[in-house]
Amino acid sequence: MAQDKVFIFDTTLRDGEQSPGATMTHTEKLEIASMLDEMGVDIIEAGFPIASEGDFEAVSAIAKASRNSVICGLSRANFRDIDRAWEAVKHAARPRIHTFIGTSPLHRAIPNLDMDQMAERIHDTVTHARNLCGDVQWSPMDATRTEHDYLCRVIEIAIKAGATTINIPDTVGYTAPRESADLIRMLLERVPGADEIIFATHCHNDLGMATANSLAAVEAGARQIECTINGLGERAGNTALEEVVMAMKVRNDIMPYTTGIDSTKLTAISRKVATVSGFAVQFNKAIVGKNAFAHESGIHQDGMLKNAETFEIMRPTDVGLSETSLVLGKHSGRAALRSKLKDLGFDVADNQLADVFVRFKTLADRKKEVYDEDLLALMQDVDTTAAYDKLVIRRLRVVCGTDGPQEAQLTLSIDGTDHMAEATGDGPVDAAFNAINSLVEHKARLALYQVHAITEGTDAQATVSVRLEEDGKIATGQAADTDTVVASARAYVNALNRLILRREKNAPDHDKKAVNYRDAS
Ligand code: KIV
Ligand code: ZN
């Protein structure tokens, strides 16, 4: 029997990118959108076009480049927002406008509208959106805390005004599975015209129930799940795409629904989103965590060797993890590297392979065995070092040991010109950061500094994450190296480059020089 299709609506580039510190560049957004399109996501919410010029440009570039997915732009409930969203998505083969307003008592108080005034606003804005675009989604924000009678009333208005999808957001992650299902059932029973539109579920994970709430809504009749890769999103995040997709696949016996997602692409996109957002995936995260398929206990390993199904409900290859454990070394050639990268989910073009191969050889010279984790870190490094970076470390030499003070000598290229600096510090990392700060003027506060060893052994690479905060804006940087101090300095510079990018985006046109350099010569 044919199974009902559940549409997957990905909002990594909108709700996900909204989480503090997860800002992505224009190119990164385009790359992620292209991966989402290729893996079979039905609808990509590409951004919030009125929010900034950068958001508008990214949504419109994604709309132009999209091949299969519907491209959606978010707007508040006013004509200016809606017109801007339409301007951005109209070039897509399949555009969608998504407009929303908060309908719960707390949210109604913000624009100071009474129930009737808000109902009128919903009618007018949805009608306006529908006059521009044949595909309109409407959301009553904080739906799960809205009075049922009022929710039914405004949804009926939105449907009559032309909305084709009604999204039910659990904006603050407050609902629980049974309630999530009951709400959809109630709406399907009570709202006239409900059978002619698609109900969507949009859950946040504040109580750790986003996946369960989304699946419960589907069982009750919702046919669109809104989610993000790795569950990225504000606070505790949104429903994780990989979790709902794999749950419906693995437990299709009790959740008989199909999606258009090619699950073998999940690992690659998870890594990509983790890299560009700077939000690492927790090791024990379902489906895409580093340990999701690792079996360490003796009993488990024994069982796995006899029959993998003893402890595995899905195969690693189902989510795009390779089963081979080929370890590369300094004698490995380009073909072996390319094939290994393909196994890890990276399809590198010839010109990129040349660059990656040089980095791989440098690493292999310093490290006898290059493991999958090393290559992942290396690819992450390739991703975070952009051709347009204004700051590039050319040379760093740090003296450390028991007889302080620790000293750093640095050559930093700034806009293509090399500058030199020396600084001391409370430890080698502090000395390196001080040397950088002596050349680059900024007011950013170091909000996070984290070091992870990627593999075991004293020659292991370290991945360093740095988070900087300047005037309420957050930028994250990452880098990997067998030398922890070098990785730290590069992660710091990576975060500064992102901060500069943000300043440039926000600077008025006549003042595009958004970074000041101290003259250390
Ligand atoms: O969580 C939420 O309510 C939202 C809406 C804008 C749909 O993200
Ligand atoms: Zn949301």
Side-chain angles (χ1 to χ4, degrees):
M1 204 178 80
Q3 297 190 339
D4 268 11
K5 172 160 180 176
V6 171
F7 294 97
I8 298 295
F9 176 110
D10 181 276
T11 183
T12 307
L13 298 174
R14 200 278 298 169
D15 224 354
E17 208 239 358
Q18 230 163 276
S19 53
T23 317
M24 302 171 193
T25 65
H26 183 86
T27 315
E28 287 164 353
K29 287 184 187 175
L30 274 169
E31 286 168 359
I32 290 175
S34 142
M35 290 173 88
L36 292 169
D37 193 337
E38 239 172 65
M39 74 187 279
V41 162
D42 299 287
I43 306 110
I44 300 174
E45 187 161 55
F48 194 177
I50 196 91
S52 71
E53 200 51 40
D55 255 54
F56 177 85
E57 279 163 20
V59 177
S60 109
I62 291 168
K64 287 175 191 152
S66 63
R67 284 185 303 168
N68 310 304
S69 313
V70 170
I71 304 300
C72 174
L74 183 70
S75 59
R76 287 166 300 188
N78 65 66
F79 288 10
R80 224 180 117 244
D81 268 44
I82 293 171
D83 291 345
R84 195 76 177 140
W86 172 240
E87 277 308 304
V89 297
K90 70 179 182 193
H91 302 288
R94 300 164 67 205
R96 173 179 294 189
I97 297 176
H98 177 192
T99 178
F100 76 98
I101 194 164
T103 51
S104 66
L106 282 168
H107 282 267
R108 287 200 301 268
I110 299 168
N112 199 16
L113 295 177
D114 67 24
M115 285 180 161
D116 292 337
Q117 288 165 327
M118 180 166 282
E120 196 179 325
R121 171 84 72 90
I122 293 163
H123 170 268
D124 294 351
T125 49
V126 176
T127 306
H128 182 69
R130 186 58 203 261
N131 285 338
L132 296 169
C133 183
D135 184 345
V136 173
Q137 171 166 327
W138 181 71
S139 294
M141 186 165 73
D142 207 13
T144 51
R145 294 193 299 171
T146 301
E147 305 92 323
H148 284 188
D149 286 349
Y150 190 59
L151 192 60
C152 290
R153 176 178 165 201
V154 287
I155 290 177
E156 184 181 349
I157 290 171
I159 295 175
K160 287 202 173 122
T164 41
T165 300
I166 300 290
N167 177 37
I168 303 300
D170 182 29
T171 306
V172 290
Y174 177 71
T175 202
R178 192 181 311 149
E179 192 180 47
S180 172
D182 287 347
L183 186 59
I184 297 290
R185 237 177 252 122
M186 183 277 294
L187 294 171
L188 279 165
E189 270 165 31
R190 284 182 54 184
V191 178
D195 52 339
E196 282 154 35
I197 52 96
I198 298 269
F199 271 109
T201 173
H202 176 114
C203 299
H204 282 264
N205 203 30
D206 299 67
L207 293 172
M209 294 193 280
T211 295
N213 289 338
S214 304
L215 293 170
V218 166
E219 280 201 71
R223 287 294 173 266
Q224 176 176 301
I225 297 181
E226 307 212 352
C227 44
T228 59
I229 302 294
N230 298 340
L232 186 70
E234 273 186 283
R235 310 185 308 278
N238 290 54
T239 301
L241 180 146
E242 61 278 6
E243 292 178 13
V244 286
V245 166
M246 289 313 288
M248 288 187 281
K249 192 171 165 141
V250 174
R251 293 312 311 273
N252 197 257
D253 54 331
I254 54 167
M255 289 181 276
Y257 312 104
T258 59
T259 72
I261 302 294
D262 174 356
S263 67
T264 64
K265 301 215 180 319
L266 289 173
T267 299
I269 193 155
S270 160
R271 286 173 179 159
K272 178 79 181 175
V273 169
T275 303
V276 305
S277 67
F279 279 64
V281 176
Q282 75 194 52
F283 282 11
N284 57 341
K285 162 87 179 61
I287 318 294
V288 290
K290 184 172 182 275
N291 293 351
F293 293 91
H295 299 272
E296 282 221 9
S297 90
I299 297 173
H300 280 218
Q301 286 181 346
D302 186 48
M304 286 291 296
L305 288 172
K306 290 183 178 133
N307 179 358
E309 281 180 24
T310 326
F311 286 106
E312 234 168 43
I313 57 168
M314 55 197 152
R315 281 164 305 166
T317 45
D318 294 343
V319 300
L321 266 178
S322 87
E323 267 175 336
T324 62
S325 55
L326 182 70
V327 179
L328 301 186
K330 68 176 176 186
H331 299 298
S332 307
R334 275 165 210 264
L337 178 64
R338 170 171 261 158
S339 137
K340 184 57 150 177
L341 289 174
K342 200 162 180 350
D343 280 349
L344 293 173
F346 299 95
D347 243 332
V348 286
D350 286 347
N351 57 342
Q352 200 193 7
L353 184 68
D355 172 36
V356 175
F357 191 66
V358 172
R359 292 175 189 239
F360 161 72
K361 280 285 175 190
T362 313
L363 178 64
D365 272 341
R366 293 156 77 179
K367 218 175 164 289
K368 271 202 296 292
E369 291 176 318
V370 179
Y371 298 101
D372 287 4
E373 290 82 358
D374 291 316
L375 287 175
L376 290 171
L378 188 142
M379 291 308 288
Q380 186 166 315
D381 237 34
V382 172
D383 257 344
T384 48
T385 340
Y388 47 75
D389 278 353
K390 299 216 174 256
L391 313 175
V392 180
I393 292 181
R394 296 266 178 245
R395 179 178 174 274
L396 176 65
R397 187 143 193 90
V398 180
V399 180
C400 63
T402 50
D403 310 323
Q406 284 72 28
E407 277 171 28
Q409 297 166 355
L410 170 78
T411 308
L412 186 72
S413 161
I414 302 173
D415 267 337
T417 309
D418 283 358
H419 296 253
M420 283 163 33
E422 287 185 12
T424 56
D426 196 2
V429 174
D430 194 45
F433 286 12
N434 286 343
I436 296 165
N437 291 340
S438 73
L439 293 175
V440 183
E441 213 175 289
H442 67 83
K443 294 186 286 158
R445 182 181 73 85
L446 183 64
L448 173 101
Y449 169 70
Q450 227 168 41
V451 184
H452 288 293
I454 299 173
T455 52
E456 276 129 47
T458 47
D459 66 348
Q461 285 199 93
T463 310
V464 177
S465 304
V466 162
R467 190 174 301 154
L468 296 176
E469 203 178 309
E470 187 184 68
D471 298 333
K473 302 263 180 289
I474 295 173
T476 44
Q478 286 187 340
D481 201 284
T482 47
D483 184 321
T484 310
V485 182
V486 172
S488 303
R490 288 189 31 235
Y492 191 65
V493 162
N494 184 227
L496 281 173
N497 275 318
R498 282 168 180 257
L499 212 58
I500 291 166
L501 209 70
R502 266 170 165 266
R503 285 191 203 154
E504 281 181 347
K505 263 206 223 163
N506 298 336
D509 278 349
H510 61 273
D511 180 24
K512 276 287 181 197
K513 189 170 179 297
V515 63
N516 289 318
Y517 312 123
R518 297 183 216 274
D519 192 1
S521 52

